[in-house]
Amino acid sequence: MTAPPPMSAEPRTATRRAPRGAVAAATNGAAPAGRIEALTFLGANFALALARGLPDPDRALRGWLIDEGRRQRLTVTTIAVAADGATTLLLLGGGRRSLVAPPTGGIELEQPGRRGVGEPVSVAQANVPPEQLGQRLRDEFDAAARARLQERILARVARSAGSLADASGPLAALHDATRDQLPRPEAGPSAACVAHVDGFWRVDHASYYVEGWAFDRKAQLRSLRLVTPEGRRVELLRNAFRYSRPDVCTHFSVPASERLGFIAFVELPEECASHDGWALQGELSDGSGFEVKAPPVVDQPLALRTTILNDLDLDDGDGLLRSAHLAPALTRLQRRLSESVEIELVDQHGIPPEDPEVTIVVPLYRRTEYLEHQLAQFVHDPEIRRADLIYVLDSPEEAARLRRLAGHLHDLYGVPFRLAILSANAGYSTANNLGASLARGRKLLLLNSDVLPAQPGWLSRMVDFYDAHPQVGALAPKLLYEDDSIQHAGLHFERNAADDGAGAGTWANEHFYKGLHRRFEPADVSRAVPAVTGACLLIDTELFRDLGGLRGIYVRGDYEDSDLCLRLREHEREAWYLADVELYHLEGQSYPTPERAAASRYNQWLHSDLWSAALSELEGVA
Amino acid sequence: MPDTRPTVLFICHNHPSVRPGGAEAYALELHRHLVASGEVRSVFLAKGGPPLAPAGRVHLGTCVAPVDDRPDEYFFFTDDWNGAYDWTFGTIREDKRLYTKHMRAFLRAIQPDVVHFQHTMFFGYDILREVKNTCPDAAIVYTLHEFMPICHRQGQMLRKTDDTPCMQESPRRCNECFPEIDQQTFFLRKRFVQSHMQVVDRFIAPSEFLAQRYIDWGLPEEKVQVEEYGRTPPAGEASIQPRRHRDRFGFFGQLTPFKGLQVVLEAIIELHGSASAQQDPLLAALERAAAPEAPAGRRVRREEPEPRPHVRIHGANLDLQPGQFQNRIAELLERAGDSVTFIGAYDHDDLHAYMAEVDWVIIPSIWWENSPLVIQEAFHFGRPVIASDIGGMAEKVTNDVDGLHFRANDPTSLAATMRRAATEPGLWDRLRGGIRPVYRMDEHAQRLSGIYEELLHDRTPAHVG
């Protein structure tokens, strides 16, 4: 039983509740109290309904879809009420069931306390295309209201997973019909206010990376917004990073010191599936506005990553570009890239060991000849034969070749191993994490492909030490270069006085005793250290999984190991260096490509930014 | 009657019938001696086909074929993998079926009890691993003929920077000789080769010098045994004619830059001055007129011949050497004029005849040498040896006992030694008297059989790896 209706001017009416399954008819006998004049489907899950004459537009409504005799409950959201109070725009949602169009019955609205709202609306009669609905809306709502209602619709539809992509077309058509077409701005050398998008990239489902320029000769621009095809508007310029574009300055005859270029990382409240139809809208202080079409969205994550890394150079001393734009963009991009990669297949060579103590994960990227070199050493070590050895191919274009070669090598050396092929190049951290997801061992050893044992028996010595020291979270041995000098004897952190590209005051990873003689005495002491290298790192498998593995926010392999060690400290576990186990690490000696160097600088800055406080405490400096 | 004799399989990089060479000649001699002795069943496997021979594999589906109609000598053809042979590492890269399918099939058929490697060149070191896999109970012996496992410069251990002998490999030093190959590659090479060599039970080193270089390189000392090449005496006699001056010198060997022919030619040029001066009778007369008077009381017999050092050059493969070297030799030969006779390639069976024409044998190699077969041949024919004072040469020739040393790669030193050799009265006879009998093949084969037996007796149950 519903609550008694409030006192109103309308006479009380008596209603007869329609039996289930039958089409309900408004039988109050009173004059129709509102009706749906137009209905537009937005994909399969939603519909917009323009209702007129609702007696009490502020009240919540219930809706029903009548189809083949069945009543399906609808959600009803009031999107907007026109100024005169007579017209209401409603959004009807099918909930988990799609609105089958067209329903054989109709759509009925109900206001609690009243039975029926006029006649049930027949969809066949009321169904209008979005453009037509848009025209109606133009009649009833002003421009600002239309913009707002469009965004409300978007927000509501976006809450239902998958619906936005489905509704995208109708929404874009609606938006096109409801908005005021702003003029294209004058762009010649004497222009006063104009903007342009040069590069427009999709970062992930709801964020974008925009590069362009904006010229505002007389400081008239109040806002510059990015507008999606479906009508979501996002302020672009206010938080954008500005930088010098001498070519644009020349065009408009202003000094080159004017920072006309902009770079912005933009997040949307909801995702947008469309690549075409985006625009920039400028609003000037005198109330006028302009609109500039944006180029189609480019969705090439790896190329975008390169672009972003190259843009690092544009950052000034304050680091605003990287902290407000590049880092958020890269973080989301990295997540997208790592989530998109999976293990495509796994080849088992030989008989897998029973109940292995250790899983060894070795990512292979391009230098696949290291597989042979490692096996030529592992063949002499019964401990490795008993380990759960997993190679992960991170350059899958070589899959066919490597799968063949792996078979040959197993036939020759007899060491059992698995070869996991990834669906795409994933990068160091994801390749390791995916390999670790296959682990059967109680302990996990991350091993670089360019690490070779000096002699057999090293694995059990590492495991024994780990087991004997419960405070150890990550354990790494002494690693040597090919000339027997020290490559790794533990890591520590130092703060850069001068700017080495990552910014002054940034923390950097440093190796103890790198380059010194193998027998350098201080390097022969096993001890707790601030961090250890991931090139040969032993960790409890459970612990590794609890920590979420290596963090994928770093680009292309760098700092993941120290990041892991710092996270271990938060779990009260330490990184330890084991001096009396030695392996060789043929660390790549080639000079990095510009992109690799940029990635390094970014990683160093990111790591420092995330851990600055902890590092200051750890290294005992201010 | 089932054959219960142990089976010995020799693996070699070449069959001497294809192209001559010292190591392979010795190896084949050893095999045939064992066959003749009947105590073991011996099989000889040589890599056949390109690059040493034009003709390669004939039959599909097999990599082996007998050498002529001998039942115990085989060619193993690696034609399908020749393009993939990696000279830096000594391996066939991507496709290991040469080892895991074809070599395996041969090993399963032969079922050797002993596998005695003379070389892995052209096969790749992986063949050692395959032998261990397929014949886990076999004894694996490896005769080291030069330094190929250690040194990328054709196993010479001679620095490419300045042609001086090298005592110590390291990633840095090897990279200095081969700047195009980085240090890490040399590191990986050494680990790779040593990994495969771990399966060897006994290394045979024909000289102490070579043994020590390999021990320095990292072979376990207890696995390295010094055992000289045993020789079947060459056919024929090289007669000794009485001569006033023992001034005839012979060079026998491959005409590579490492063998030092250029040193001999420069020495002989130094001894004689330029050829044109020799040949001009007027100049010769003036020289004689300018010679100091003989001390009183001694009659100078004008007609008595002065020692005229002369070098006879026997050896092949000059045409295979780098152009620069060939040009240099040609130029030196011309300047040496008639103080040199260039014989060129020679048949080993005719060695006695060539030895008869010389008093001394010069072995002027600029690399260390191991145990040059030429020294043993010279000694067999009673010819003292003039040798570079380094490595295996200095070991096998004892200065002032059975030969003379000179400073390696130094034509002036060699010239002085040759002058002494040609002029010092009684030296040649004394040194000839100091020559000890050459180590014979039958004793050597018996020694080796003893090693095989010892290794087979010591077999612990084999485990893979």
Side-chain angles (χ1 to χ4, degrees):
Chain A
M1 278 297 282
T2 55
M7 292 299 288
S8 77
E10 305 278 8
R12 221 142 160 184
T13 57
T15 56
R16 192 170 74 240
R17 186 119 172 80
R20 260 191 190 275
V23 170
T27 54
N28 53 20
R35 59 193 204 88
I36 292 176
E37 290 195 340
L39 192 69
T40 295
F41 281 92
L42 303 174
N45 294 356
F46 287 94
L48 284 169
L50 194 66
R52 284 185 70 78
L54 288 180
D56 200 344
D58 294 327
R59 291 202 102 166
L61 290 161
R62 284 205 289 254
W64 303 96
L65 184 78
I66 299 121
D67 183 41
E68 288 176 342
R70 281 185 312 216
R71 283 162 71 85
Q72 177 185 330
R73 181 70 191 272
L74 298 172
T75 61
V76 181
T77 309
T78 304
I79 294 296
V81 181
D84 64 4
T87 306
T88 312
L89 181 66
L90 305 166
L91 180 69
L92 312 176
R96 270 170 307 171
R97 295 168 61 181
S98 76
L99 305 178
V100 176
T104 54
I107 287 183
E108 186 182 79
L109 292 176
E110 196 177 83
Q111 202 153 37
R114 294 189 174 273
R115 294 297 183 210
V117 176
E119 304 279 323
V121 174
S122 158
V123 172
Q125 290 163 3
N127 195 4
V128 301
E131 295 81 359
Q132 204 170 319
L133 180 66
Q135 269 305 351
R136 297 293 312 272
L137 293 176
R138 291 187 79 91
D139 297 336
E140 306 293 344
F141 298 93
D142 67 33
R146 290 199 301 272
R148 282 194 306 271
L149 72 82
Q150 183 80 14
E151 288 178 329
R152 280 205 71 192
I153 296 168
L154 271 175
R156 183 64 191 79
V157 169
R159 274 193 262 150
S160 166
S163 299
L164 197 51
D166 194 36
S168 173
L171 281 170
L174 183 69
H175 176 234
D176 239 4
T178 56
R179 71 197 184 137
D180 284 347
Q181 293 291 343
L182 293 169
R184 280 183 55 188
E186 170 64 44
S190 56
C193 191
V194 58
H196 179 78
V197 175
D198 289 313
F200 189 20
W201 305 78
R202 183 165 181 264
V203 176
D204 65 9
H205 61 283
S207 64
Y208 295 81
Y209 189 79
V210 192
E211 290 178 333
W213 53 263
F215 177 59
D216 186 16
R217 197 186 293 276
K218 297 178 224 158
Q220 296 171 297
L221 201 57
R222 249 218 316 252
S223 82
L224 185 67
R225 296 195 186 95
L226 190 63
V227 185
T228 76
E230 296 93 347
R232 167 62 61 191
R233 298 164 304 161
V234 184
E235 174 57 43
L236 183 68
L237 205 59
R238 193 168 303 139
N239 303 315
F241 173 81
R242 306 306 301 269
Y243 67 102
S244 167
R245 283 288 300 266
D247 55 332
V248 181
C249 293
T250 307
H251 178 76
F252 292 115
S253 307
V254 294
S257 55
E258 292 277 316
R259 302 172 131 219
L260 299 184
F262 70 77
I263 291 176
F265 171 69
V266 172
E267 284 177 279
L268 301 182
E270 65 277 316
E271 64 181 281
C272 175
S274 310
H275 287 193
D276 293 297
W278 292 67
L280 280 187
Q281 274 183 4
E283 190 187 310
L284 277 65
S285 50
D286 63 2
S288 67
F290 65 81
E291 187 174 296
V292 177
K293 283 205 202 319
V297 175
V298 175
D299 190 8
Q300 289 173 22
L302 290 175
L304 172 59
R305 189 167 68 182
T306 304
T307 299
I308 294 175
L309 288 173
N310 289 338
D311 284 347
L312 260 179
D313 285 336
L314 296 170
D315 207 355
D316 51 32
D318 293 333
L320 285 176
L321 174 61
R322 70 186 73 190
S323 54
H325 300 280
L326 304 188
L330 274 173
T331 302
R332 289 179 76 142
L333 195 55
Q334 286 293 101
R335 187 180 309 137
R336 178 184 169 190
L337 286 169
S338 70
E339 283 171 3
S340 70
V341 181
E342 52 185 16
I343 296 172
E344 196 152 272
L345 59 90
V346 182
D347 289 335
Q348 172 76 51
H349 293 280
I351 299 170
E354 275 180 38
D355 195 30
E357 175 67 29
V358 183
T359 291
I360 303 176
V361 174
V362 185
L364 287 169
Y365 179 70
R366 297 224 173 119
R367 299 290 304 270
T368 50
E369 67 270 23
Y370 284 120
L371 173 61
E372 179 166 12
H373 291 302
Q374 284 194 333
L375 291 177
Q377 303 308 315
F378 291 163
V379 70
H380 298 291
D381 194 340
E383 291 175 3
I384 307 300
R385 287 171 184 273
R386 289 195 291 270
D388 173 31
L389 178 58
I390 304 175
Y391 285 93
V392 182
L393 180 62
D394 197 19
S395 45
E397 65 275 14
E398 301 188 84
R401 203 193 116 248
L402 190 65
R403 290 178 76 191
R404 209 165 36 232
L405 178 61
H408 286 248
L409 292 175
H410 175 71
D411 215 0
L412 188 59
Y413 291 107
V415 176
F417 64 90
R418 283 185 277 177
L419 176 62
I421 308 290
L422 300 185
S423 57
N425 170 237
Y428 175 76
S429 56
T430 304
N432 271 302
N433 290 343
L434 287 172
S437 73
L438 299 172
R440 295 170 49 226
R442 282 178 286 282
K443 294 188 175 56
L444 183 67
L445 183 84
L446 304 181
L447 190 70
N448 272 22
S449 59
D450 56 358
V451 171
L452 290 192
Q455 56 213 353
W458 56 277
L459 187 59
S460 63
R461 305 222 320 267
M462 286 185 73
V463 169
D464 289 346
F465 189 94
Y466 195 97
D467 286 339
H469 297 80
Q471 72 276 35
V472 177
L475 181 69
K478 184 189 293 182
L479 297 178
L480 304 171
Y481 284 118
E482 69 279 358
D483 63 357
D484 281 355
S485 62
I486 293 174
Q487 189 273 323
H488 166 267
L491 302 181
H492 65 283
F493 304 99
E494 276 180 16
R495 192 172 218 158
N496 292 332
D499 187 346
D500 63 353
T506 309
W507 288 92
N509 290 0
E510 300 292 338
H511 285 247
F512 287 111
Y513 316 131
K514 193 174 207 175
L516 295 181
H517 191 272
R518 179 183 202 163
R519 293 270 77 81
F520 185 66
E521 276 174 15
D524 269 339
V525 179
S526 301
R527 61 202 176 99
V529 285
V532 290
T533 181
C536 183
L537 187 151
L538 184 68
I539 184 170
D540 190 75
T541 307
E542 271 307 300
L543 179 58
F544 185 77
R545 289 188 177 140
D546 287 345
L547 288 169
L550 296 176
R551 266 216 279 204
I553 51 177
Y554 301 98
V555 179
R556 299 189 62 176
D558 227 350
Y559 288 85
E560 290 93 340
D561 41 18
S562 55
D563 182 271
L564 180 74
C565 292
L566 291 168
R567 283 185 287 134
L568 276 172
R569 297 185 74 85
E570 290 175 344
H571 280 61
E572 255 112 67
R573 300 287 279 270
E574 296 174 341
W576 272 68
Y577 162 65
L578 179 57
D580 36 53
V581 171
E582 293 177 345
L583 290 89
Y584 287 93
H585 181 197
L586 304 182
E587 191 185 43
Q589 297 305 306
S590 53
Y591 282 99
T593 60
E595 188 189 333
R596 190 82 188 77
S600 257
R601 289 199 301 277
Y602 170 75
N603 291 335
Q604 184 181 327
W605 169 82
L606 182 67
H607 182 270
S608 178
D609 198 52
L610 291 171
W611 292 109
S612 190
L615 292 174
S616 297
E617 196 192 304
L618 179 54
E619 295 287 358
V621 295
Chain B
M1 270 289 276
D3 190 344
T4 57
R5 299 176 297 164
T7 300
V8 179
L9 171 64
F10 291 98
I11 296 183
C12 195
H13 65 295
N14 175 39
H15 193 280
S17 68
V18 172
R19 200 182 264 274
E24 49 268 58
Y26 151 79
L28 188 64
E29 237 181 75
L30 171 60
H31 155 76
R32 288 186 176 168
H33 183 91
L34 288 176
V35 168
S37 81
E39 284 174 20
V40 299
R41 175 178 157 240
S42 184
V43 178
F44 189 89
L45 182 72
K47 187 210 136 32
L52 295 180
R57 184 161 64 115
V58 177
H59 305 123
L60 287 179
T62 176
C63 285
V64 298
V67 177
D68 305 323
D69 61 354
R70 300 192 67 103
D72 48 33
E73 292 173 25
Y74 285 95
F75 283 122
F76 192 95
F77 297 104
T78 62
D79 305 11
D80 292 339
W81 294 273
N82 279 345
Y85 188 74
D86 181 330
W87 280 97
T88 306
F89 284 87
T91 184
I92 308 277
R93 278 243 162 264
E94 304 276 307
D95 185 353
K96 300 293 182 183
R97 282 174 299 175
L98 174 74
Y99 315 111
T100 57
K101 183 176 152 99
H102 298 285
M103 182 54 63
R104 192 172 291 184
F106 183 75
L107 291 170
R108 284 198 175 133
I110 300 296
Q111 296 189 6
D113 299 287
V114 178
V115 180
H116 189 155
F117 283 91
Q118 302 297 320
H119 240 296
T120 57
M121 190 163 55
F122 303 121
F123 288 109
Y125 292 100
D126 310 51
I127 194 179
L128 289 157
R129 171 52 53 184
E130 181 51 42
V131 165
K132 190 71 193 173
N133 289 345
T134 305
C135 313
D137 295 325
I140 301 178
V141 180
Y142 196 120
T143 295
L144 301 160
H145 293 285
E146 77 307 286
F147 302 111
M148 286 204 74
I150 299 177
C151 175
H152 184 58
R153 197 185 181 195
Q154 294 161 263
Q156 304 295 291
M157 287 192 83
L158 196 69
R159 302 223 70 203
K160 210 157 176 234
T161 48
D162 58 4
D163 277 346
T164 56
C166 175
M167 279 283 272
Q168 167 84 66
E169 59 74 40
S170 72
R172 172 184 67 85
R173 285 170 62 83
C174 294
N175 169 253
E176 283 168 3
C177 285
F178 294 94
E180 69 277 17
I181 302 174
D182 66 34
Q183 296 189 30
Q184 291 181 343
T185 302
F186 280 116
F187 174 84
L188 287 170
R189 177 193 186 279
K190 183 174 180 177
R191 298 304 306 281
F192 180 80
V193 174
Q194 289 190 337
S195 166
H196 291 297
M197 289 190 127
Q198 278 193 52
V199 310
V200 175
D201 298 306
R202 190 68 56 87
F203 292 95
I204 306 292
S207 71
E208 290 277 357
F209 179 82
L210 186 115
Q212 196 53 53
R213 298 290 71 71
Y214 273 97
I215 291 166
D216 289 347
W217 181 65
L219 290 188
E221 194 165 346
E222 64 277 9
K223 278 193 178 181
V224 182
Q225 180 165 353
V226 178
E227 168 67 16
E228 173 63 278
Y229 294 119
R231 307 304 303 281
T232 304
E237 293 252 337
S239 57
I240 307 286
Q241 306 296 336
R243 284 178 65 80
R244 180 158 300 279
H245 301 289
R246 295 297 176 183
D247 56 3
R248 300 171 308 165
F249 301 88
F251 172 97
F252 296 82
Q254 285 208 65
L255 304 182
T256 72
F258 307 130
K259 291 291 191 184
L261 174 61
Q262 65 278 21
V263 182
V264 175
L265 292 175
E266 288 188 18
I268 194 76
I269 289 167
E270 210 178 290
L271 275 181
H272 283 289
S274 83
S276 52
Q278 283 174 302
Q279 278 157 28
D280 186 333
L282 179 58
L283 277 174
L286 286 171
E287 272 177 353
R288 277 201 299 278
E293 289 277 333
R298 266 233 28 239
R299 284 180 55 166
V300 176
R301 285 169 51 194
R302 286 264 170 90
E303 60 279 15
E304 182 183 274
E306 293 294 314
R308 286 203 78 236
H310 187 90
V311 177
R312 296 168 67 80
I313 298 169
H314 319 76
N317 295 340
L318 181 58
D319 56 320
L320 296 181
Q321 307 311 317
Q324 208 175 2
F325 179 73
Q326 292 191 46
N327 291 341
R328 183 154 173 234
I329 296 298
E331 188 221 336
L332 289 170
L333 283 172
E334 191 175 318
R335 281 173 56 203
D338 64 3
S339 62
V340 168
T341 305
F342 189 89
I343 285 126
Y346 65 100
D347 201 317
H348 205 257
D349 289 336
D350 299 330
L351 189 54
H352 65 101
Y354 295 112
M355 285 284 179
E357 297 297 317
V358 303
D359 306 301
W360 306 85
V361 170
I362 304 181
I363 179 155
S365 299
I366 63 174
W367 76 288
W368 299 112
E369 287 285 355
N370 172 20
S371 175
L373 300 172
V374 167
I375 294 178
Q376 291 176 305
E377 285 153 7
F379 284 167
H380 169 76
F381 289 112
R383 268 57 182 174
V385 174
I386 297 174
S388 307
D389 62 348
I390 56 174
M393 296 175 285
E395 185 178 320
K396 304 295 179 180
V397 176
T398 313
N399 189 36
D400 227 38
V401 173
D402 51 22
L404 299 170
H405 291 174
F406 71 93
R407 191 159 52 237
N409 206 4
D410 185 343
T412 305
S413 173
L414 176 56
T417 309
M418 289 167 77
R419 186 180 295 115
R420 182 183 169 210
T423 57
E424 186 173 308
L427 176 64
W428 186 83
D429 293 286
R430 178 164 63 78
L431 296 179
R432 222 175 86 77
I435 295 173
R436 284 160 302 156
V438 171
Y439 190 43
R440 292 177 60 90
M441 172 59 81
D442 47 13
E443 202 184 321
H444 173 61
Q446 212 162 332
R447 223 16 112 66
L448 285 178
S449 297
I451 292 172
Y452 301 154
E453 218 168 302
E454 180 200 327
L455 292 173
L456 287 173
H457 190 63
D458 284 348
R459 292 326 276 146
T460 50
H463 63 278
V464 178

